[in-house]
Amino acid sequence: MKSLAELQAIKEKMKDKIILREGVGDIRVVVGMATCGIAAGARPVLNTLVEEVSAAGLAEKVTVSQTGCIGICQYEPIVEVFEADRDKVTYVKMTPEKARRVVEEHLKGGNVVSEYTIAGHKE
Amino acid sequence: MKELSLNILDIAENSVKAGASLTKIKIDEDEDRLTLTITDDGCGMTAEVLKSVTDPFYTTRTTRKVGMGIPLLKLEAEMTGGKLEIASRHEGEYPDSHGTEVKAVFNKKHIDFTPLGDISESIATLIQGHPETDFLFIHSIEGKHIALDTREIKRILDGVPINSYEVINWIKEYLNEQYS
């Protein structure tokens, strides 16, 4: 049974890690979570990204956050990747499966998954 | 929307955008009826804005001229023979008691009723995206009360970010276990 005592234990475990985390996060991953994104399936995409980033041990380097409407609703769910000194990458029509590949190949491996980007996307 | 919990995620976003410090999400269910109430202490709306929010061609966003969140929820409620009501007090007129309440009533037995779906996931998603504001979630169903208060969680966390993966995961499981 999940209890508040267990939350207390999580806190104790994480207290020391927090100091390390501040000021890091070189990669920012943003998911469009307005009505258009949510209706198109952004919730499972976001949650897969959060899960996979943690599972890949990238939590120190990558932050996953949410934003409103990006303005190209027909391409939702949309995931944008911002990285210092690199161009923004816009992934369109995302699914949890595609999100897993983006974490593995792009966020971990450093290679953009071109076929999922807005430029590489084929109708 | 495929699940009512997705509408809830969408509508609660409006509260956050209105600058709410606390957003209360309440679901009351009996055998026939589901009542969803989302109450916030955000900036509220003027009477004029309030009149236009159920109109799909009204929106606060600037990227596009159509806002579908509230009209969609209204349509989904009315399709089951239910209704949607919004009450709001704008901060200009009510500096000490401003905020908005959206209430939607659904007839669960109607064929067009959209199931609630994964509400734990929606609540966890809201908290992940908006760690700086608070959410109170209470779902009353069959005499059971499933509840989560981020103010209480933050007190226990004592500075550890509530949107850490470990905490978000705990929140999801904590809610899911209250349902089982």
Side-chain angles (χ1 to χ4, degrees):
Chain A
M1 185 71 196
K2 297 280 156 193
S3 64
L4 294 171
E6 196 183 351
L7 183 63
Q8 180 81 33
I10 293 175
K11 181 207 111 183
E12 295 303 332
K13 210 177 66 194
M14 292 188 66
K15 240 181 8 195
D16 312 323
K17 284 205 286 184
I18 306 294
I19 306 120
L20 295 172
R21 260 188 208 181
E22 273 175 19
V24 288
D26 330 319
I27 305 178
R28 212 157 54 83
V29 180
V30 179
V31 184
M33 292 292 288
T35 310
C36 46
I38 293 170
R43 189 184 67 182
V45 169
L46 173 86
N47 288 304
T48 303
L49 286 168
V50 170
E51 251 168 60
E52 293 295 316
V53 161
S54 173
L58 295 169
E60 316 258 309
K61 198 174 130 199
V62 180
T63 51
V64 181
S65 55
Q66 305 177 23
T67 188
C69 179
I70 294 165
I72 40 171
C73 309
Q74 67 273 33
Y75 291 114
E76 293 281 1
I78 297 170
V79 174
E80 294 181 315
V81 181
F82 297 89
E83 223 172 321
D85 308 321
R86 282 182 81 168
D87 288 335
K88 174 181 86 175
V89 178
T90 304
Y91 290 113
V92 300
K93 302 223 171 181
M94 290 296 283
T95 62
E97 292 68 37
K98 289 179 178 177
R100 265 178 220 115
R101 230 186 108 186
V102 166
V103 172
E104 190 56 35
E105 291 178 27
H106 184 170
L107 305 181
K108 200 173 175 188
N111 302 310
V112 175
V113 188
S114 311
E115 59 194 279
Y116 299 160
T117 63
I118 189 154
H121 170 75
K122 287 179 194 74
E123 284 302 321
Chain B
M1 297 271 185
K2 279 185 203 139
E3 300 175 10
L4 187 53
S5 64
L6 293 173
N7 294 91
I8 295 173
L9 175 58
D10 186 32
I11 301 301
E13 293 279 349
N14 296 343
S15 296
V16 175
K17 260 182 258 153
S21 59
L22 177 66
T23 303
K24 297 177 194 164
I25 300 167
K26 259 186 81 188
I27 305 171
D28 286 298
E29 263 187 90
D30 59 27
E31 213 176 302
D32 303 318
R33 230 155 48 142
L34 185 150
T35 306
L36 163 71
T37 319
I38 300 180
T39 315
D40 69 58
D41 57 0
C43 62
M45 292 176 278
T46 60
E48 193 192 353
V49 171
L50 185 57
K51 255 193 290 183
S52 53
V53 285
T54 53
D55 172 359
F57 296 100
Y58 177 81
T59 179
T60 56
R61 79 170 148 217
T62 48
T63 46
R64 207 159 41 67
K65 286 198 171 63
V66 190
M68 293 303 291
I70 291 282
L72 212 57
L73 184 65
K74 182 171 190 267
L75 179 74
E76 287 173 20
E78 286 173 354
M79 270 166 50
T80 72
K83 62 182 174 180
L84 179 112
E85 289 167 354
I86 310 179
S88 193
R89 291 150 85 94
H90 189 248
E91 59 184 355
E93 265 181 279
Y94 301 92
D96 301 318
S97 59
H98 51 85
T100 299
E101 181 174 281
V102 176
K103 185 176 171 184
V105 182
F106 296 85
N107 284 321
K108 288 165 67 179
K109 288 190 172 151
H110 195 284
I111 189 157
D112 287 324
F113 174 68
T114 315
L116 184 59
D118 197 342
I119 185 68
S120 306
E121 189 93 358
S122 276
I123 299 299
T125 303
L126 272 172
I127 298 169
Q128 195 271 340
H130 309 288
E132 68 291 350
T133 82
D134 284 306
F135 297 96
L136 173 64
F137 172 66
I138 302 172
H139 186 178
S140 306
I141 179 170
E142 292 159 12
K144 259 206 308 204
H145 299 283
I146 290 98
L148 186 103
D149 187 341
T150 59
R151 293 169 299 183
E152 185 187 5
I153 292 172
K154 282 175 187 172
R155 267 197 296 276
I156 294 171
L157 287 174
D158 191 26
V160 169
I162 193 165
N163 60 345
S164 321
Y165 171 74
E166 290 82 351
V167 178
I168 292 298
N169 214 28
W170 177 87
I171 287 171
K172 237 183 274 181
E173 290 175 17
Y174 181 66
L175 282 172
N176 282 336
E177 287 197 3
Q178 290 187 58
Y179 281 103
S180 60

